[in-house]
């Protein structure tokens, strides 16, 4: 199946994308995001606020080892994570339904830029001050009676879109 070992993963070229989790309550959601981030060779995950950090059996249950392969860093405040990302020249998107957000299907990326995507709390979403500190917002169009998706499902969709778009540019 051409799977990488953890060591090979650590050495492999990464997608120029950092995933930021802003106050995610469910450890299973955190684990699922690690697993998806491993699948698409995301550069790192920033865990912020109340978001739990590995090692943890509940994270491992859904990450299935992704928490060992994907680099991660903890920030007490998401705002500090955004500041660090901006200092390192990342273009930061919050994934949130707001006035003026970019629909995911209209996302245009460039190969010479690094990106970060912020996913918010399961109930409250991305905090407003974090949205305000972001460079833009992305939204997944939805056509049913519900206007939200589970955060780990959202992360999988968004990370895939970045992987698809950036892979075409390489």
């Amino acid at each position: 199946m051409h799977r990488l070992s953890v060591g090979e993963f650590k050495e492999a070229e990464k997608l120029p994308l950092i995933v930021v989790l802003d106050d995610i309550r469910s450890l299973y959601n955190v684990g699922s995001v690690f697993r998806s981030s491993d699948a698409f060779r995301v550069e790192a995950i920033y865990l912020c606020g109340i978001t739990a950090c590995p090692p943890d059996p509940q994270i491992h249950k859904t990450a299935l080892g992704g928490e060992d392969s994907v680099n991660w860093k903890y920030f007490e405040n998401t705002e500090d994570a955004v500041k660090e990302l901006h200092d390192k020249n990342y273009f930061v998107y919050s994934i949130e339904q707001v006035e003026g957000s970019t629909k995911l299907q209209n996302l245009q990326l460039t190969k010479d830029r690094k990106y970060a995507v912020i996913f918010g709390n399961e109930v409250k979403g991305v905090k407003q001050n974090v949205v305000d500190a972001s460079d833009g917002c992305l939204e997944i169009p939805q056509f049913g009676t519900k206007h939200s998706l589970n955060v780990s499902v959202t992360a999988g969709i968004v990370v895939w879109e970045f992987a698809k778009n950036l892979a075409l540019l390489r």
Side-chain angles (χ1 to χ4, degrees):
M1 301 274 311
H2 307 292
R3 290 192 176 108
L4 301 177
S5 68
V6 172
E8 290 169 329
F9 182 97
K10 296 280 189 190
E11 297 299 319
E13 182 181 1
K14 305 292 186 298
L15 187 67
L17 179 68
I18 292 181
V19 170
V20 180
L21 300 182
D22 178 26
D23 285 341
I24 302 300
R25 298 177 309 170
S26 166
L27 280 70
Y28 297 125
N29 282 335
V30 174
S32 292
V33 172
F34 267 100
R35 190 169 172 183
S36 294
S37 295
D38 173 277
F40 297 110
R41 249 193 274 156
V42 165
E43 185 179 331
I45 298 176
Y46 286 3
L47 307 167
C48 303
I50 67 167
T51 307
C53 298
D56 186 280
Q58 288 182 350
I59 291 174
H60 180 72
K61 186 173 184 174
T62 50
L64 296 177
E67 74 277 27
D68 298 325
S69 56
V70 179
N71 290 330
W72 61 271
K73 184 175 181 178
Y74 175 76
F75 292 83
E76 188 173 331
N77 298 301
T78 309
E79 299 86 346
D80 294 338
V82 173
K83 181 178 179 341
E84 179 175 298
L85 290 163
H86 280 142
D87 289 347
K88 293 181 176 181
N89 296 314
Y90 281 81
F91 190 92
V92 179
Y93 283 109
S94 283
I95 311 305
E96 196 59 71
Q97 298 170 343
V98 298
E99 180 96 19
S101 63
T102 300
K103 302 292 188 205
L104 190 59
Q105 71 270 24
N106 297 328
L107 177 65
Q108 294 184 358
L109 304 174
T110 59
K111 65 180 178 180
D112 59 345
R113 180 173 266 174
K114 301 179 291 185
Y115 297 94
V117 288
I118 304 172
F119 300 94
N121 177 273
E122 292 91 337
V123 174
K124 299 177 182 177
V126 179
K127 292 186 289 280
Q128 186 61 52
N129 60 331
V130 175
V131 169
D132 293 343
S134 299
D135 298 305
C137 288
L138 293 175
E139 178 178 341
I140 299 172
Q142 297 166 51
F143 308 103
T145 62
K146 303 300 175 197
H147 294 283
S148 67
L149 296 167
N150 175 280
V151 66
S152 66
V153 171
T154 300
I157 293 168
V158 170
V159 171
W160 160 247
E161 193 65 27
F162 274 80
K164 182 177 72 170
N165 277 279
L166 293 172
L168 294 175
L169 297 171
R170 292 182 180 262

